[in-house]
Amino acid sequence: MNSDTLEGRAVLLGITGGIAAYKSASLCRLFVKAGAHVQVVMSRAACEFITPLTLQTLSGREVHVDMFGRSVKGVEHIDLADDAELFVVAPATADYLARAATGRASDLISAVTLAFTKQVLAAPAMNTNMWNNPATRRNLDTLAASHGWNFVQPGSGELACGWSGQGRMAEPEEILEAASALFSADLRGRAVLVTAGPTVEDIDPVRFLSNRSSGKMGYAVAAAAARRGAEVILVSGPTALPCPAGVRRVDVRSALEMQRAVDENIAEVDAVVMCAAVADYRPAKVAPHKLKKQRGEDERIIELVRNPDILAGLGARFADAPSRPVLAGFALETKDLERAAQKKLAAKGADIIVANLAADGFAKDDNAALILGRDGARRDTGRVSKRQLAEVILDEIKSRFPANP
Ligand code: C5P
């Protein structure tokens, strides 16, 4: 088993109340052996199955259970959430998953979950009928698609409750492996340029043309690439999003500024992911002063000129180059997704086109994409969080890198 990536990592281990909680002691031990700093938080129900003292002894740290009480020193739920890089919940019971999916903060572990902003890995464990219940399915879908959670699926077999079927918590070794994979730095040594957000094309000092792109997809790609060890340059149009950790952001406004920032950095990168919604046109002239309405003027015509297509420009520039960055573009369509994406693949000279329908992903936290490759590859992702889609896009890019960095 490869658990090298866990060395020195801060892992918050959450234990909720199921019989599989007895396996969490082995899991805690495995994390500690792999060099992780483990902080344990347990639900009250978990303490019915295994004592905090066991986990305290194995982790070497005080175990947190209660939100209130004499032992609670302050805003523990926030500190616990802030201090960890990864939150592993094993076992994750049906009730805990329901609380997490609906944003409850009714006990310490739920409040920590709500306050946690980084990667979560959950190992569900429950009776097979509870597992198959539509309510549980819905909660799992919500957590995967909207919250970007990762899951280690339960196995099938005889359950402690006497039933046989899916619901048995994955083995500790498997959970450790999944946690380790989340820290893998498989893009170390690579540089990735990501464009994100809308562009803003000024009409005068107070008015502009733009679009409703939120920037979420591009920021998710930038964050995932940084997490996987890449050097990341994020060329971003105006968005409300914070710069992801470990990412160098270059703020731009217009398509021309975006093109300049891309050109300035292109020589150093191994891949370009063009997530930005670049305006196709800009006003021919930017008025130096605020335009006034004129008496008797019922119509105002603003002359627009074509913006450069940044991606197509790169595609053309590198068409016959012996070495080139992997070029990934997006196609946001409202109909005929596959046909439009195929056309765009050729027209832009891209290696990959990630095609999605506006109704599926625009400004949302999740998306459903069809990824087409110039090499004939075709991958339908189904509905996934933008975070997971970002990982899939990076996997596709990685598989197209030349052998050595
Ligand atoms: O042609 P369309 O705008 O649908 O193409 C979308 C893809 O091309 C996206 O990857 C987008 O970032 C990129 N693009 C560009 N420059 C433009 C327009 C789009 O790089 N002017």
Side-chain angles (χ1 to χ4, degrees), residues 239-263:
T239 72
L241 303 171
C243 183
V247 167
R248 176 157 74 85
R249 186 169 71 180
V250 180
D251 290 316
V252 297
R253 220 174 133 72
S254 64
L256 290 178
E257 282 178 27
M258 183 168 278
Q259 184 186 40
R260 209 170 308 129
V262 170
D263 282 347

Side-chain angles (χ1 to χ4, degrees), residues 292-298 300:
K292 303 280 185 209
K293 47 188 172 294
Q294 308 286 339
R295 191 195 298 262
E297 184 193 51
D298 290 333
R300 167 75 60 105

Side-chain angles (χ1 to χ4, degrees), residues 15 39-47 52 62-78 80 105-112:
I15 306 175
Q39 171 64 62
V40 177
V41 57
M42 295 171 71
S43 70
R44 262 278 144 228
C47 303
E62 190 188 341
V63 171
H64 296 267
V65 178
D66 292 314
M67 190 89 157
F68 308 104
R70 238 175 302 149
S71 65
V72 178
K73 290 171 200 76
V75 278
E76 254 158 18
H77 56 295
I78 305 298
L80 289 169
S106 45
D107 65 351
L108 180 66
I109 192 165
S110 304
V112 170

Side-chain angles (χ1 to χ4, degrees), residues 111-157:
V112 170
T113 305
L114 196 57
F116 198 76
T117 56
K118 287 151 273 179
Q119 296 252 58
V120 180
L121 176 68
M126 64 197 75
N127 160 273
T128 192
N129 293 335
M130 293 167 86
W131 173 251
N132 290 324
N133 189 296
T136 305
R137 313 303 322 152
R138 237 182 353 257
N139 291 333
L140 290 162
D141 284 350
T142 301
L143 291 168
S146 309
H147 302 224
W149 279 29
N150 308 281
F151 288 98
V152 193
Q153 297 299 324
S156 291

Side-chain angles (χ1 to χ4, degrees), residues 195 197 255 258 273-281 306-314 328-333 344 348 352-354:
T195 66
M258 183 168 278
V273 192
M274 296 282 306
C275 302
V278 185
D280 291 324
Y281 294 91
R306 195 65 188 262
N307 266 330
D309 188 316
I310 306 170
L311 178 58
L314 295 178
F330 273 72
L332 177 73
E333 307 294 339
K344 223 153 268 186
K348 309 244 178 194
I352 302 167
I353 287 286
V354 182

